[in-house]
Amino acid sequence: MSYRWNFGPVFDNADVLLAGALGTLRLFVICVLCGMGFGLVVGLARYARSGAVRVPATAFVEFFRNTPVLVQILWFYYALPILLPFDIGPLTAAALGISLNSAAFSAEIYRGGIQSIERAQWEGARALGMTHAQAMRRIILPQALRRMLPALTNRGIEIFKMSTLASTVAYVELLQQGKLLASLHFNPIETYTVIAVIFFLCLFPLVQATYALERRLGRSD
């Protein structure tokens, strides 16, 4: 049986998809800033000498790395309001779940990057009279960040794709709007094809930029 493609209803409702794309972009920016920013704090805590700092950071990483981000989003949306005296909106629930999950994975990227710096760098910093914190800030972290850039860029791409999970709590993002159009016009093939193309056009340049960055850093080492 041949299928007759009809993209007309999808293109006629481009404003609906645009609203979803803006929602996706909003969620992406929030999760990148919060996830990678908090991930840096947790990653530094994972490398701390004090067990009082290191152990809670390790517990955070292990919990959020070993539970599905979808479960985390649903827990923040449905369960957390039972424990707190106020409701949590779809954007907040999705941002909390994706940001904290990304923070856990980003923390390991930061920790691995810090550990990749040669021990002689630490010894040189101590010879100059620097404290542990000063050495981390002035010598170790700048070098580690350079090595971590490709991995962090890949993490950003994953965050962009994870934004589709926000549709489970009815947040207005691209996939959620696609579900709405597909149910109204009974054209899931055309609708989800367009959504897939939109995601591809958004992410393909980022992926290529990641490859270029990796090649550039590889030549400069």
Side-chain angles (χ1 to χ4, degrees):
M1 182 179 68
S2 60
Y3 182 81
R4 300 185 63 180
W5 294 78
N6 181 18
F7 288 93
V10 181
F11 296 141
D12 290 341
N13 291 276
D15 56 328
V16 176
L17 294 180
L18 178 59
L22 292 176
T24 294
L25 182 60
R26 182 185 304 113
L27 181 61
F28 168 71
V29 171
I30 293 173
C31 293
V32 164
L33 294 178
C34 295
M36 293 189 177
F38 187 54
L40 176 58
V41 175
V42 177
L44 293 175
R46 288 268 281 146
Y47 207 75
R49 293 177 175 178
S50 172
V53 176
R54 187 176 61 255
V55 171
T58 301
F60 170 87
V61 169
E62 294 304 325
F63 178 81
F64 280 97
R65 279 204 311 169
N66 293 290
T67 53
V69 63
L70 179 58
V71 174
Q72 294 162 12
I73 293 173
L74 294 175
W75 191 89
F76 283 121
Y77 188 69
Y78 291 108
L80 190 57
I82 299 175
L83 304 176
L84 299 178
F86 52 84
D87 292 331
I88 294 179
L91 175 59
T92 303
L96 281 172
I98 297 174
S99 295
L100 293 177
N101 183 273
S102 298
F105 282 94
S106 298
E108 289 301 278
I109 295 175
Y110 290 121
R111 186 177 67 88
I114 292 171
Q115 288 183 336
S116 72
I117 303 301
E118 296 77 8
R119 195 65 192 173
Q121 300 286 340
W122 289 100
E123 295 171 355
R126 283 198 298 269
L128 293 173
M130 293 185 186
T131 64
H132 182 84
Q134 289 173 332
M136 178 70 75
R137 186 176 68 253
R138 298 178 182 178
I139 297 178
I140 305 302
L141 198 54
Q143 296 182 71
L145 285 173
R146 178 173 171 272
R147 299 182 181 184
M148 292 184 290
L149 277 176
L152 291 175
T153 304
N154 283 325
R155 192 66 218 160
I157 293 171
E158 289 299 316
I159 291 174
F160 194 91
K161 291 189 291 185
M162 280 195 295
S163 66
T164 57
L165 297 176
S167 64
T168 59
V169 291
Y171 172 68
V172 179
E173 49 79 49
L174 195 54
L175 181 58
Q176 173 67 18
Q177 296 299 84
K179 289 180 179 179
L180 176 63
L181 289 181
S183 64
L184 289 175
H185 300 284
F186 305 101
N187 59 346
I189 296 179
E190 293 88 344
T191 301
Y192 293 127
T193 298
V194 170
I195 290 175
V197 170
I198 293 173
F199 271 98
F200 177 83
L201 293 176
C202 290
L203 290 176
F204 184 74
L206 292 177
V207 172
Q208 297 306 307
T210 301
Y211 292 153
L213 180 61
E214 290 176 351
R215 289 192 295 267
R216 181 176 179 180
L217 292 178
R219 287 195 299 267
S220 61
D221 287 339

